[in-house]
Amino acid sequence: MIAETIRIADALGVDLWLRGGWAMDFFLGSPTRDHTDIDWFARKRDIQPLARELPRSGWMSLSGPPADQQRDFGKHGEESSFALLDEDGSGHAVVAGGPWAGERWPDGMLDGPLGRIGSTACPVIGPFRPRPPTTSRATEHTLAASCVPTPSRG
């Protein structure tokens, strides 16, 4: 089903990125477990062509999150979910809709490698390292104080 979706997207000139468990498996080169769904990222501007073409291949539109945030399709008991991306004024990937519309995704997320399982290749989201949290001096002092052992009584 992943290969079929990639063929459809390629024929439409639509970019897709695997995310979730299948992204990890394609990154590693083999399945690590059974999956109940396929998670994708797609650009908001590309979802209409996909939504028209997937049903021609037997996929059915499913209800789910707000349609401007994610579109879900099912086939043979499998679900394929397309989280939608948009861009902010600086060209950064952002959540396209729903309650988190406009929130930035991590820089470089769409620059991941081409993953592969057997003869099927697909872009996967890039692994990223979260930035360490920033703390104020007052917070550092509080954290340090909480690490000081208390004397035992006895």
Side-chain angles (χ1 to χ4, degrees), residues 15-19 23 39-43 46 85 109-113 122-126:
D15 292 323
L16 296 177
W17 297 265
L18 276 172
R19 61 186 178 94
D39 298 310
W40 302 92
F41 275 118
R43 289 188 177 96
D46 294 331
L85 303 168
M109 180 182 77
L110 302 180
D111 300 330
C122 182
V124 299
I125 61 169

Side-chain angles (χ1 to χ4, degrees), residues 78-100:
E78 295 286 330
E79 187 173 310
S80 206
S81 299
F82 298 84
L84 303 181
L85 303 168
D86 209 350
E87 290 182 355
D88 64 14
S90 301
H92 296 282
V94 298
V95 176
W100 298 281

